[in-house]
Structures are given as structure tokens and as C-alpha cells.
Amino acid sequence: MAPKFGTSGLRGLVTELTEDLVRDYVTAFIAACPHGGTVYVGRDLRPSSPQIAGWVIDAVMAAGLEAVDCGALPTPALALASNNARGSAVMVTGSHIPADRNGLKFYVPTGEISKEDEAAIVAAIGTVTRVPAKGASRTQDASTAYVARYVDAYGDVLTGLTVGVYQHSSVARDMMVEVFTALGATAVPIARSDTFIPVDTEALDPETQALFAGWFAEHGLDVLVSTDGDADRPMVVDDAGRVVPGDVLGTLTAQALKARIVVTPVSSNSMVADPSFGFAQIDRTRIGSPFVIAAMEDAMDDDHDAEVVGYEANGGFLLGFTATAPTGPLTPLMTRDCLLPIIAPLAAAQAKGKTLSQVWDTLPPVFTAADRLQGIETENSRAFLAKLSSSLEARTAFLGETEAALDATDGLRMTLGSGRVVHLRPSGNAPEFRCYAEAPTRDAAATLVRKTLEKVQTKLG
């Protein structure tokens, strides 16, 4: 499958991300989108990323702009640097997908590009006349300001906690140790890898999860944290050894920041609508940060001072207003962030004298689970969903029970007569088929996902 835009950036096989293709996309981005005269360039730790980042820098300079090489760093750290400088950015990353794939994420001076920007970039490919001038390049440390953002805002709120940092090949692996140490915790680095490991924080494989209990026992951990490859998604395992879903972290973070408006995709846990959280407005969108950002911007257009946040089911958190943290302000950061939805819930629990598991156990009893089938081509997934979409009888036969409601905002989200939810959706940029489920217990949600994917596997082979 040729590289194309999905829910978050351009992705494809490394063999298809050729120098010419990368140059064409970067040149089209510069021609089609605001850039502020400067393009910040970052990358993750997969083997192909340094070379691709070099091609991006060359393309920026060939367009007559200044290229700022920030090296390997988290995507939100790169976005923060370019946003503060009113410049643009390109992050070379394939996020959580395997190392044989990679991609590009584009940022304008105000944050992530929109779907309209994506269309403009595609339309501009091959139409740009090269400029005679040659731009400049320089290097810059963009990580220090990102670390300071959270250390300044939260102080030593995590004093007394022992935090395990599952390092694998996250580009934030050393930074996380630095941040949690500065916040007063004892940070324990665990399982650093010299080989790129595609950790999907939204669908952790059983082999990885099986390691967690041993790490907690060996190191006396209170919590285990990590991120995906480019560090725009959090992973948190609580003191009871349970992986805390990203949408639970998102809800707790929104509550801790005293947000009034919450924007999140239809795949997120519906507990966010419970009156106990006190949110004034909940907006549900299609899956993907561009859709979340668009709805956040709509809220801010209606009210410039809107206290609005957004998050995805994977936990990537977007801050749309200047929030008050324990020791300082947090300025807006309109891109998925991994650190805020880890730090804010832990800090709130500490302030209450509770563990994270105790806080989670007091929340409304709505639980989600998610997993995926790999190696399922998108065309096959879409054809299967098209058949289900066209017939209530087909859905009833597939689900094995009656359907109470159907939401086709993004894929098929089917509410069953029992109140449980099954949400099916093909990946937009990888040969994967995803299933999300919601039920009154953790086990019921996990079982529903497993059984549903078994049915899908039988259908799609």
C-alpha cells in the first residue's frame, strides 16, 4: 500500500518512503501550508528515521527555508518548540507500527495540520517550482523546554512514589526518567532495547503485559509508565497491576485541569458523560487528532476563553487553554501529549492521599477494551463493514444478539440490547482491523473484544 495520510500523518512501508517521495511531500507542505519561514525537524528511534529526517532537512533548505534539526525527541516536544517559535515542523515517525514502516507528521505554526491541509498538500505534489535560493540549517535542543513545562507546573508532587519507566525504544525513554525524578519520584529504568519495539499502548500484546507483575515485584513499583514510539501516547499500569486505558487517563486529566468542554472520539469510554465529572459539554468526533482539534477549534471560535481539552482513546491529550497546575500554569499544546495524562492523574491521586487504583475504582463502572487483527488489508476490512452496515439482519447474525443503536461516525459502533458496545473499524494507514468494546466490567469488555475479533478472523481469514 503506497504511503498516504491516515488518522495521524503520512505513513507507509520504508521501502516506499523514497527520497523523492519524502522531498515531494515536504515541498508540497511548504507550498500549501503556513510555515513561518522555519521548519523544525525531529525523529523517533526506528532505524530508518535518521536518513528520512536528512531528506526532510534537505527539502526544507531546497525550498529556501531554515531547517532546525532537533534530533531524536518526542513529537509533543517538537510541536512545543515549533509552536513557541511560530514555525512549522515535520516529525519523522511511524508511531507504534512496526519498524518496516515509517511516516511524517506535519505541523503548522498553530499546531497539527488539519484534514483540509492534508488535501492541500496532496494537491500541491508535483506542482511546485523550485526556488533558486538555498536555505540554512541549524541544530537546537527542543527537549529541555518540554521537560521544564511539567517540572515547573507540578514541582515535587510525586514525592514518595516509585515509578517504573518501561523504556523499550520510546524516544522519550530517558526524558521520562529525568521528568519523574524531578517531580520527586524514584524513577526506575526498565527493559531498554537497542532494537526498535513497536509498542501499541492501545493494544498491548499479552507477552508484554505478562512482564509487568515481575517488574512490580522486583522493583517495588507504585506505578509503571511508558509511551509509544514517538511519545504522543501514554501507557500507565496502576498499583494493582492493571493497564489504565487512555480514555480513563484522559477523563481524569480533564477533571484535574478543571476543563469545561471535553472533545473525544466516539471510540472513547462513555463514562466521560457522567454528571459526577462536572463537564459542561462533551463533543464526540471521528477517530484521529485532526478531528479532535477541529472540534476544539470550533469551541474556541464560539468562546475564545473556552476551557476546552481533547483526548483520544489511546490517551494522547490536547490542551486548548491555559490551565492551572499545582505550582504553575500550563499553556495550550494542541497536539497529542504523553506526559500530561500520566502526571496529572498521579498528582491528583497523591493530593487525595490515594493510589491510582483507588481513584480508578471509584469511577462509574464503564470499562473499555481494544485490540486488533494484523495483516488484514484495509480494502477487505471496509468491504466486510459495508456488508454489516447495509443490513440489520447481518449485524444481528454477526453479533449474536439484538442491536439497540448504531453510530456510523467512524466505522460501526453498535450498542447491543444488553447495553454493551462493539465498535469495529479498519486502520487508515496499516493493514489492521481494530475492535473496541464497552461493558460494565473489565473482564466482560475484554471478552467481548476477544470473541468479536475471533468472529472477524473467521470472516476475513
Side-chain angles (χ1 to χ4, degrees):
M1 184 170 63
K4 64 178 183 178
F5 283 106
T7 54
S8 181
L10 178 82
R11 290 186 191 163
L13 290 166
V14 169
T15 54
E16 296 177 332
L17 284 166
T18 63
E19 181 175 1
D20 286 344
L21 183 141
V22 170
R23 286 176 176 270
D24 284 347
Y25 269 92
V26 173
T27 302
F29 164 63
I30 290 170
C33 300
H35 51 67
T38 303
V39 182
Y40 287 70
V41 182
R43 55 183 168 84
D44 66 14
L45 298 181
R46 63 188 66 219
S48 60
S49 292
Q51 181 179 56
I52 295 174
W55 295 338
V56 172
I57 290 170
D58 289 345
V60 171
M61 294 174 64
L65 304 186
E66 180 184 46
V68 182
D69 183 1
C70 298
L73 80 169
T75 295
L78 180 72
L80 179 67
S82 64
N83 185 251
N84 286 343
R86 293 182 171 81
S88 55
V90 179
M91 179 71 180
V92 179
T93 180
S95 187
H96 65 281
I97 59 180
D100 65 341
R101 298 172 183 271
N102 212 326
L104 304 175
K105 291 182 178 179
F106 297 96
Y107 292 81
V108 294
T110 54
E112 292 186 29
I113 61 171
S114 65
K115 287 297 180 183
E116 291 75 16
D117 291 328
E118 288 180 5
I121 292 169
V122 172
I125 290 175
T127 68
V128 183
T129 302
R130 292 192 177 274
V131 298
K134 180 77 170 179
S137 69
R138 61 182 172 88
T139 60
Q140 179 177 318
D141 166 28
S143 298
T144 300
Y146 182 62
V147 171
R149 171 182 175 84
Y150 294 107
V151 175
D152 292 347
Y154 281 92
D156 58 358
V157 293
L158 302 186
T159 297
L161 284 185
T162 299
V163 179
V165 178
Y166 173 30
Q167 293 193 304
H168 62 92
S169 43
S170 165
V171 75
R173 59 191 182 183
D174 295 320
M175 182 183 292
M176 284 190 291
V177 173
E178 180 184 356
V179 167
F180 287 104
T181 299
L183 295 177
T186 299
V188 182
I190 298 172
R192 186 185 185 92
S193 175
D194 293 328
T195 303
F196 187 83
I197 300 174
V199 173
D200 185 349
T201 58
E202 194 175 7
L204 289 164
D205 62 84
E207 293 78 12
T208 298
Q209 293 191 58
L211 299 171
F212 295 163
W215 294 346
F216 270 81
E218 179 182 356
H219 301 290
L221 304 181
D222 296 304
V223 65
L224 176 70
V225 304
S226 191
T227 76
D228 63 338
D230 69 321
D232 67 350
R233 302 181 181 187
M235 185 204 85
V236 176
V237 183
D238 72 9
D239 49 289
R242 304 171 303 190
V243 178
V244 185
D247 43 14
V248 173
L249 295 174
T251 301
L252 291 173
T253 302
Q255 183 183 44
L257 298 176
K258 296 181 172 58
R260 295 288 293 159
I261 302 173
V262 176
V263 179
T264 192
V266 293
S267 57
S268 294
N269 192 313
S270 62
M271 78 157 68
V272 67
D274 192 281
S276 63
F277 293 111
F279 303 129
Q281 181 178 326
I282 310 294
D283 293 334
R284 308 302 289 264
T285 72
R286 292 179 61 187
I287 296 170
S289 53
F291 300 109
V292 174
I293 290 170
M296 292 175 69
E297 290 176 341
D298 286 344
M300 290 185 284
D301 287 342
D302 292 339
D303 178 2
H304 180 72
D305 297 319
E307 296 169 321
V308 58
V309 300
Y311 63 83
E312 295 191 272
N314 57 42
F317 196 90
L318 304 99
L319 180 60
F321 71 104
T322 299
T324 301
T327 60
L330 278 170
T331 56
L333 183 57
M334 291 284 281
T335 192
R336 290 187 302 196
D337 184 19
C338 66
L339 283 185
L340 184 54
I342 298 175
I343 295 169
L346 288 174
Q350 284 283 89
K352 296 174 182 176
K354 295 183 177 181
T355 65
L356 187 57
S357 69
Q358 289 171 335
V359 171
W360 188 9
D361 287 342
T362 64
L363 299 181
V366 183
F367 297 92
T368 57
D371 205 346
R372 58 184 171 160
L373 292 176
Q374 295 178 288
I376 306 295
E377 293 301 328
T378 302
E379 292 77 9
N380 295 336
S381 299
R382 288 177 175 164
F384 171 63
L385 286 189
K387 291 181 179 179
L388 290 183
S389 299
S390 63
S391 169
L392 174 60
E393 290 183 357
R395 295 194 297 275
T396 301
F398 175 76
L399 295 168
E401 62 179 283
T402 58
E403 175 187 282
L406 178 67
D407 186 335
T409 300
D410 197 336
L412 286 182
R413 183 176 176 87
M414 298 164 282
T415 301
L416 312 183
S418 62
R420 300 177 302 163
V421 174
V422 173
H423 184 178
L424 301 176
R425 176 181 173 273
S427 172
N429 46 34
E432 298 175 351
F433 189 95
R434 290 187 176 271
C435 176
Y436 312 85
E438 190 171 283
T441 69
R442 297 179 185 88
D443 289 345
T447 299
L448 187 55
V449 166
R450 177 177 56 79
K451 289 185 175 181
T452 302
L453 286 179
E454 288 174 354
K455 293 178 183 179
V456 173
Q457 184 74 70
T458 299
K459 294 288 186 182
L460 297 181

